[in-house]
Amino acid sequence: MRRALAAIAALVLAAMVAPPAGAANLLTNAGFETGSLAGWSCSNASIVTSPVHSGSHALAATATASDNARCTQTVPVRPNTAYTVSAWVSGNPVYLGVTGGPSTWTGSPGYTQLSLSFTSGAGQTSAELYLHGWYGAGTYHADDVVLDGPGGSDPGTPAAPGNPSAGAVTGSSVTLSWPAVTGATGYRVYEGDTVRATVAGTTATISGLAACSTHTYTVAAYNTAGESARSAPVTATTSGCQQADLPRHALIGYLHASFANGSGYVRMADVPAAWDVVNLAFGEPTTPTSGDIRFSLCPVAECPNVETEAEFTAAIRAKQAQGKKVLISIGGANGQVQLTTTAARDAFVRSVSAIIDRYGLDGLDIDFEGHSLYLNPGDTDFRNPTTPVIVNLISALRTLKSRYGSDFVLTMAPETFFVQVGYQFYGGAGGGDNRTGSYLPVIHAMRDALTVLHVQDYNSGPVMGLDNQYHNMGGADFHIAMTDMVKAGFPVARTGHTFPGLREDQIAFGLPAAVSAGNGYTPPAQVHQALNCLARNQNCGGYTLRGGASPAIRGLMTWSINWDRYYGWEFQNSHRPFLNGLP
């Protein structure tokens, strides 16, 4: 019986998956015979006339220590359809693959053909083919690249609609609009693979939504011949979000309250009024997996000028009376927090609550670094994580948010490795470090309760942006590209899922206060250029914002207030007036 059922299932699957009938190479400039990179998006690549596999031109791309020389091309495909991919390659190691699907590689002094096959998903309407080398390995060559199979639509079906946009938003509805498509008799609005609206015109209002909930939609046109490929996604958040009482553009800083760190101790009462949010660094666990978080003021032996607990608490109250927010920051470089069990989760909630209550704090900052967060093999959907350290942290944060209510301030300070690097590599998908992108499920799960995400744009290696180019810390370009990724959202590595962008008022970016505070110090003029680009879409240095201008961008975070004091308050004095001048 089991064999019979298996055979029937195989026949059903074969019927569902269309063969590559009418196959054709879907790639543009597949043999690079235009003499250019037309149709391709590449880094560190050029066109050469030798060596070639056929014709007169081939691709040459050089992988450096910070750039794997990636070339990509995206083509429309049909759902549930089989495709084959091949390329002739030579030289140093070169990888051929499909984003979210299989890959293969070789290293050969002469041209060798790589090939693979894949089947598009049930709702898949496009596929990204890629070639790349390996970091530091040198130059590879590629020629005669093929992605064989039927194009994205049956004959007579309309083209995919142009980019949709979100219009009027209420606490329970989102209105979408998109350009008309020639030959279409109607349009379907999808959320994931679910049809949310079917309309004859080019607008639709999706209602019945929860307040402060984020949704991502695509649109397909249809007629009697069939349905088009889907449009690019658009993300919108309904109104009704609980907003912390912060300035439109805030200055956020960490205060070394439990240690001196070479920069000296700064008493809470001596923190200047320019700082809107003060993160107390750090609450740390008794052991990495206990979940039991402890915080105490810097010992007198290390910080001779430390205040008493009573003075510290009184100073917090004075800051709060001025409208400032004071948070406990959990983690840091030395505070590994791994909530591997529900017992650790519950201990985390109890102990963090005790710290908040003891000092009357406004909320919590999550600064998990090192090996605190990671993804188990096979945990590839950031929307539905399964790794215990992720699941338990999300549960703990939801409990704390529920306990303290709408005024509770929740911020996060991940490194780029845990967020933006998820565009290329996602830990649970295998093939690399299992920590890459591991903050994404936490950010996504808490997005409606998250006050500010301020990614650490420092102590980072080169990171690929949405332009598929690598960006290096220390200048305006890095802050622009990294922050735009958080606003626009991005496909998550090889998982087939897209991380939706955050609201602009939830976004800040972090940088060192001074050269001694961390790698990636950015001169004030470069910081201001980045803010002008992000808030006004001006002076972007050739970078195109995928997420558009963010006039309500929340502001800047720095490590740290202590280091800023040590260097004569350059950060505060340069950036507080500039933030005040933003729209």
Side-chain angles (χ1 to χ4, degrees):
M1 177 63 73
R2 288 182 180 178
R3 291 182 180 179
L5 289 174
I8 293 170
L11 290 171
V12 172
L13 180 61
M16 292 173 60
V17 176
N25 193 355
L26 303 180
L27 297 172
T28 299
N29 193 21
F32 307 99
E33 294 305 315
T34 64
S36 71
L37 292 169
W40 296 88
S41 176
C42 299
S43 65
N44 215 25
S46 61
I47 302 301
V48 296
T49 55
S50 179
V52 301
H53 174 253
S54 69
S56 303
H57 298 89
L59 171 75
T62 301
T64 67
S66 60
D67 186 341
N68 66 358
R70 182 181 175 93
C71 283
T72 65
Q73 187 171 146
T74 301
V75 299
V77 297
R78 298 182 191 177
N80 294 318
T81 301
Y83 292 86
T84 59
V85 177
S86 63
W88 289 88
V89 299
S90 70
N92 289 300
V94 54
Y95 293 72
L96 171 71
V98 176
T99 300
S103 65
T104 185
W105 73 279
T106 190
S108 172
Y111 270 103
T112 300
Q113 189 178 38
L114 289 173
S115 61
L116 54 86
S117 61
F118 73 99
T119 299
S120 55
Q124 186 174 354
T125 57
S126 67
E128 181 187 70
L129 177 144
Y130 63 81
L131 292 155
H132 67 73
W134 191 246
Y135 293 101
T139 300
Y140 70 85
H141 296 89
D143 201 0
D144 299 327
V145 190
V146 175
L147 198 164
D148 254 359
S153 300
D154 293 320
T157 58
N163 291 346
S165 59
V169 173
T170 71
S172 61
S173 67
V174 172
T175 298
L176 306 173
S177 62
W178 54 89
V181 175
T182 301
T185 56
Y187 303 88
R188 298 185 182 101
V189 179
Y190 286 87
E191 184 171 9
D193 292 327
T194 302
V195 177
R196 296 300 186 194
T198 301
V199 296
T202 56
T203 62
T205 297
I206 315 300
S207 57
L209 307 177
C212 192
S213 57
T214 301
H215 304 268
T216 300
Y217 301 104
T218 56
V219 182
Y222 68 88
N223 58 20
T224 55
E227 184 177 279
S228 74
R230 297 182 196 174
S231 69
V234 59
T235 298
T237 301
T238 55
S239 59
C241 296
Q242 298 171 343
Q243 295 292 316
D245 186 19
L246 292 178
R248 181 172 173 85
H249 304 297
L251 198 64
I252 302 166
Y254 286 81
L255 184 71
H256 310 171
S258 60
F259 58 99
N261 197 30
S263 58
Y265 185 83
V266 177
R267 295 162 61 97
M268 175 61 71
D270 295 333
V271 174
W275 299 93
D276 301 301
V277 179
V278 178
N279 292 326
L280 303 178
F282 286 107
E284 298 180 357
T286 54
T287 66
T289 58
S290 70
D292 186 12
I293 307 300
R294 303 297 175 87
F295 171 79
S296 59
L297 291 176
C298 185
V300 175
E302 184 179 353
C303 305
N305 62 323
V306 64
E307 67 266 61
T308 66
E309 283 239 341
E311 291 170 333
F312 182 70
T313 303
I316 290 173
R317 296 291 179 274
K319 292 294 178 191
Q320 292 168 329
Q322 297 169 6
K324 311 304 181 183
K325 305 296 182 183
V326 184
L327 316 181
I328 179 64
S329 181
I330 307 297
N334 298 321
Q336 304 295 299
V337 183
Q338 296 178 338
L339 303 184
T340 55
T341 64
T342 55
R345 174 200 66 191
D346 296 343
F348 183 87
V349 171
R350 286 194 304 269
S351 57
V352 170
S353 297
I355 296 170
I356 292 172
D357 295 342
R358 176 174 151 200
Y359 295 104
L361 302 178
D362 297 289
L364 171 65
D365 172 70
I366 297 297
D367 186 14
F368 284 16
E369 301 181 17
H371 291 270
S372 293
L373 296 181
Y374 54 84
L375 293 155
N376 288 338
D379 190 355
T380 59
D381 186 353
F382 71 88
R383 303 167 303 176
N384 299 288
T386 57
T387 306
V389 295
I390 304 289
V391 174
N392 290 331
L393 175 60
I394 292 169
S395 176
L397 295 179
R398 284 174 171 161
T399 299
L400 288 165
K401 176 66 178 179
S402 176
R403 175 172 298 181
Y404 290 102
S406 61
D407 293 333
F408 186 73
V409 179
L410 176 63
T411 65
M412 298 182 190
E415 297 164 287
T416 58
F417 184 77
F418 297 99
V419 181
Q420 289 92 339
V421 172
Y423 177 49
Q424 280 189 283
F425 308 105
Y426 192 65
D433 195 310
N434 67 347
R435 299 172 297 160
T436 51
S438 58
Y439 249 91
L440 294 176
V442 182
I443 296 168
H444 184 69
M446 300 305 298
R447 64 172 55 240
D448 295 337
L450 180 63
T451 310
V452 188
L453 176 75
H454 34 63
V455 175
Q456 299 178 32
D457 285 0
Y458 50 92
N459 297 336
S460 170
V463 182
M464 180 178 283
L466 295 178
D467 56 356
N468 290 326
Q469 304 298 312
Y470 282 92
H471 300 267
N472 296 282
M473 63 181 182
D477 173 73
F478 192 69
H479 303 302
I480 292 168
M482 295 302 98
T483 309
D484 187 46
M485 293 182 78
V486 176
K487 168 70 181 301
F490 51 87
V492 179
R494 302 175 299 279
T495 66
H497 305 299
T498 297
F499 176 78
L502 296 176
R503 305 190 314 269
E504 60 193 76
D505 64 280
Q506 294 177 297
I507 301 170
F509 61 86
L511 56 166
V515 292
S516 299
N519 295 320
Y521 168 76
T522 307
Q526 292 286 298
V527 177
H528 298 168
Q529 179 186 340
L531 286 170
N532 263 327
C533 171
L534 293 166
R536 297 186 171 101
N537 201 9
Q538 297 174 358
N539 197 18
C540 293
Y543 182 90
T544 300
L545 292 177
R546 274 67 176 177
S550 301
I553 185 171
R554 183 57 74 182
L556 298 175
M557 174 275 280
T558 193
W559 178 264
S560 63
I561 295 172
N562 305 58
W563 280 114
D564 195 33
R565 192 279 304 270
Y566 188 86
Y567 278 85
W569 301 113
E570 178 193 77
F571 193 94
Q572 166 194 292
N573 293 339
S574 298
H575 301 318
R576 175 75 272 171
F578 193 86
L579 289 173
N580 292 342
L582 289 177

